[in-house]
Amino acid sequence: MAALEKEKPLATSFGPEFVCTDQDVADLKAGLPPPETKWCLVELPKEELAALEAGSRFYFHEFSGATRGNDGGQAALCTESGTYSLEFLENSNSLMIGALSTTSDAGPAPGGGAEVRPQGGGGDGPEAGAPAPAPQPPQTIFGTCQVFAQCRGQLTMKGVSPDMGKLRELLSKHRLGEPADSLDGAPAAQGETIDSLEFQVAAAPSQLKKALQDGPYAEHNGRWFLLPPALEREIVDAAVELVAASGWSLEAVDGESLLKEVQQHLKVKTTVPSVGVLRKALKSVLSEEPAAPAEAKVDGASDSAPRPDAPNATPNAEDAGAGGCRPLRFDKQKVDISKALRLLREPPARVRERFQLPLPSRAKRARVAGAPRGAGGGHQADALKVTEFAKAFQELTGSDADADAVLKLLGNAAYVDEIEGTLSAMDADSLSRDPFERLKQLFAIQTHWRPDRLAALVAPALPAGVKVDAWLLKWTRAVYLDLGEPPTEQRMLTKKFGGL
């Protein structure tokens, strides 16, 4: 790219392919749409511009309605590392794009081209005291610019979250656990390849891969499938019981052996076709796998080779790239959380009978102005109280954690109805990615929330840079209720408008 010199004239002309896109005033008054232009300017962040100049490829995609609400169909620009929404800013000034070309001319030598020769001696080198050669004159640059395009404005880019709604929509057609002859011999239409997903989903490749690794999706034979929450819970519950019944160490469970047991338990082999799929289904109860240091590798050894602390590891397990040969390492605390959530999914009467818990006394409900009876969350009358659940959890896991510690341990996997004092399981990952829709879902669960709990559940859906407390102030209002025993006044949030 040639540089323009300040305050230097530049010969400019319109190229033969230039097409004028100006609009006549009469057309403006008539309300006619402006003519389309063939070119548009795009403002890029510095790091993305550097990536583009280095040869990186950018792609235009379309946001699905699931991500953009009622504004589905908006364009997105996906780079190697980010996803951006596009907004066109029209400019009334004429914006011209031209190609700059330059030529150079060394010009005549100074003094009419007279040669300065060294005094005395016939040698080639200059003698002491000889005049230095005259400096060469600067080159004269001649530039021309040929205008080939006209623009009406430019596109601005704003970083946004990738279109995870489209990803789930595509993979919901390929669900593990549904009837199939064999996933190994399935047709090409079964499952989605990573190339197919990159073509259809508005997301940077790195963002898409992270979403697949972190989300409820599993890979088998190079194709991705949705792992339904109900099936994932069933696999986790079965695996935890089988490990305990077999007396295996939580620190080193042979994946192939556990896979066979789980397949027998589920009756259908293709539901969990490989150790890689089993490992993904058990992600919520497995320990984080630390990255192996480079110096720890032995020459010729594979990353998937069995470790010395896994005596029952199979050396030739399937899906070695997915970690099939590595033993499954269960995390004791995560296993306890899994057991606790299973308790919450059981009928409260069965839990009370199993752990010999007395029926709770009917405490006086908190008075909520303007709210009908049962407005706390619509729970059944015999729902487990927080204190009851804490006692059952202590007996089940051998822990001495109190009610507050148990609630902290469960995190977003459960919620408390503060008015009724009951505890229920919740799948936070199934909540909408749109913040307004997510807030509606939360108020459908229960009408009053503690400010900190509501903020923690809404924050993941908000765009970057948006403060959750300020956002909630627009859509919620604060009320003060007498809660607990003895009753104390506590601040709660409820919906401000009827549309929520």
Side-chain angles (χ1 to χ4, degrees):
M1 180 182 294
L4 296 176
E5 295 188 34
K6 187 177 181 180
E7 298 181 355
K8 292 289 185 179
L10 181 68
T12 305
S13 61
F14 289 99
E17 71 277 15
F18 177 81
V19 178
C20 179
T21 59
D22 284 337
Q23 193 171 19
D24 191 87
V25 175
D27 295 336
L28 288 172
K29 292 181 178 179
L32 297 178
E36 295 183 357
T37 59
K38 298 180 179 179
W39 297 83
C40 185
L41 300 175
V42 181
E43 296 182 15
L44 294 175
K46 290 183 178 180
E47 60 276 8
E48 297 293 3
L49 179 59
L52 185 63
E53 292 176 340
S56 177
R57 294 186 177 184
F58 295 176
Y59 299 92
F60 285 100
H61 281 276
E62 179 183 355
F63 279 120
S64 67
T67 295
R68 305 298 293 176
N70 296 327
D71 300 327
Q74 291 189 1
L77 183 63
C78 297
T79 68
E80 291 293 334
S81 58
T83 304
Y84 299 88
S85 65
L86 299 174
E87 182 180 358
F88 181 73
L89 301 179
E90 190 170 6
N91 196 323
S92 60
N93 299 327
S94 296
L95 301 176
M96 304 294 180
I97 307 177
L100 184 65
S101 59
T102 61
T103 57
S104 61
D105 183 5
E115 182 180 5
V116 179
R117 298 184 63 83
Q119 300 295 322
D124 293 335
E127 296 182 357
Q136 294 296 321
Q139 291 182 338
T140 304
I141 305 297
F142 299 94
T144 59
C145 180
Q146 192 174 79
V147 178
F148 61 87
Q150 179 180 1
C151 297
R152 291 189 174 276
Q154 68 274 359
L155 289 173
T156 60
M157 299 167 52
K158 181 181 179 182
V160 294
S161 300
D163 192 353
M164 295 299 96
K166 183 66 173 180
L167 176 62
R168 193 174 186 95
E169 175 188 336
L170 291 171
L171 293 182
S172 63
K173 305 172 185 176
H174 312 282
R175 305 166 67 93
L176 287 173
E178 292 188 346
D181 295 336
S182 172
L183 288 179
D184 294 320
Q190 183 75 344
E192 294 280 355
T193 64
I194 187 67
D195 291 337
S196 172
L197 293 174
E198 287 182 357
F199 180 77
Q200 299 179 78
V201 180
S206 59
Q207 293 175 326
L208 178 60
K209 292 175 182 177
K210 187 177 187 305
L212 290 171
Q213 294 296 333
D214 296 344
Y217 312 108
E219 182 185 16
H220 178 62
N221 285 347
R223 295 184 175 273
W224 286 91
F225 300 83
L226 177 68
L227 183 61
L231 175 61
E232 182 177 357
R233 289 194 297 267
E234 186 178 1
I235 295 173
V236 170
D237 293 343
V240 169
E241 287 187 357
L242 290 169
V243 169
S246 302
W248 293 335
S249 170
L250 292 178
E251 289 295 320
V253 177
D254 176 32
E256 285 289 348
S257 300
L258 182 59
L259 175 64
K260 293 177 182 178
E261 296 291 339
V262 170
Q263 287 175 341
Q264 280 187 334
H265 177 83
L266 298 178
K267 303 295 192 262
V268 182
K269 179 180 179 181
T270 55
T271 299
V272 190
S274 67
V275 176
V277 174
L278 177 64
R279 182 179 293 273
K280 185 60 183 290
L282 297 177
K283 184 178 179 180
S284 63
V285 293
L286 296 182
S287 302
E288 297 290 338
E289 292 289 347
E295 62 271 15
K297 292 184 181 179
V298 181
D299 292 342
S302 170
D303 289 342
S304 58
R307 298 184 329 197
D309 61 345
N312 57 347
T314 306
N316 295 318
E318 185 187 358
D319 287 340
C325 290
R326 288 180 287 118
L328 303 175
R329 299 178 57 196
F330 285 77
D331 184 282
K332 176 64 167 59
Q333 186 179 67
K334 292 181 179 180
V335 170
D336 288 345
I337 295 175
S338 172
K339 293 178 179 178
L341 293 176
R342 188 175 183 181
L343 273 183
L344 287 178
R345 293 192 294 268
E346 291 184 13
R350 184 184 303 172
V351 175
R352 291 192 181 100
E353 180 181 358
R354 175 182 175 185
F355 295 96
Q356 298 181 353
L357 299 174
L359 288 175
S361 58
R362 295 293 297 173
K364 184 179 179 181
R365 294 181 69 254
R367 294 188 59 187
V368 183
R373 289 189 176 274
H379 297 299
Q380 297 177 359
D382 62 344
L384 278 179
K385 300 290 184 180
V386 175
T387 52
E388 290 180 307
F389 179 78
K391 291 179 181 179
F393 179 81
Q394 291 170 357
E395 184 174 341
L396 180 68
T397 63
S399 169
D400 58 354
D402 59 10
D404 291 337
V406 171
L407 294 179
K408 185 177 180 180
L409 190 68
L410 292 176
N412 288 341
Y415 69 94
V416 177
D417 184 333
E418 301 289 348
I419 296 176
E420 300 289 351
T422 55
L423 184 67
S424 301
M426 177 175 62
D427 183 10
D429 292 335
S430 66
L431 295 174
S432 173
R433 295 291 178 181
D434 180 81
F436 188 77
E437 292 298 322
R438 175 174 288 218
L439 190 62
K440 288 178 62 177
Q441 290 175 340
L442 292 172
F443 279 130
I445 293 175
Q446 61 182 19
T447 59
H448 294 75
W449 289 87
R450 286 185 180 271
D452 56 338
R453 293 292 297 125
L454 189 61
L457 291 168
V458 172
L462 292 177
V466 177
K467 295 183 178 181
V468 62
D469 292 334
W471 189 88
L472 287 174
L473 191 62
K474 295 169 52 179
W475 304 106
T476 64
R477 61 185 179 89
V479 295
Y480 293 87
L481 307 178
D482 290 333
L483 301 174
E485 291 293 337
T488 56
E489 189 176 69
Q490 298 183 26
R491 182 174 180 266
M492 306 286 288
L493 292 181
T494 187
K495 57 184 178 181
K496 183 183 291 186
F497 306 106
L500 281 175

